[in-house]
Amino acid sequence: MTVFSSDLSRARITAEGVCRAQVLPSGEIPLQPILTGNLREKDYGSMEGRFWKTSPPLPRPQDWVTPESKASMRKRVENFFDEHLLP
């Protein structure tokens, strides 16, 4: 069994808990998740963590951080498949 996880702390902590919960035959090495940035959620730039109804006003356009594009996110997923699942 292999456990993969985003390298973000909340995902890592959950993956480590999943690994600890596995019952392994005696003598086997306990599972450790394989952490990768390729499994991070989409980056929403300046809009990250905002709530539509309760957020303060949007930053000025010149201060915006551009969200991650669909192409960039797709490339990360393809990299994950190429590096971990297809070999």
Side-chain angles (χ1 to χ4, degrees):
M1 172 189 253
T2 304
V3 176
F4 295 99
S5 173
S6 162
D7 58 353
L8 296 176
S9 63
R10 65 182 178 275
R12 178 187 50 79
I13 290 166
T14 300
E16 289 170 348
V18 168
C19 288
R20 281 192 305 274
Q22 301 309 304
V23 177
L24 301 174
S26 63
E28 278 200 33
I29 298 172
L31 291 174
Q32 291 293 317
I34 297 172
L35 307 177
T36 174
N38 287 328
L39 291 177
R40 286 184 178 181
E41 66 240 11
K42 180 177 172 139
D43 180 355
Y44 286 94
S46 313
M47 297 304 295
E48 193 78 41
R50 292 180 157 276
F51 294 96
W52 291 108
K53 294 185 178 187
T54 60
S55 287
L58 290 173
R60 300 171 304 175
Q62 61 267 31
D63 296 332
W64 287 0
V65 176
T66 307
E68 180 179 22
S69 69
K70 286 182 181 179
S72 173
M73 191 172 154
R74 184 178 307 113
K75 182 65 177 163
R76 287 192 295 110
V77 171
E78 289 170 356
N79 287 341
F80 172 75
F81 277 99
D82 291 343
E83 293 171 11
H84 297 287
L85 298 183
L86 296 178

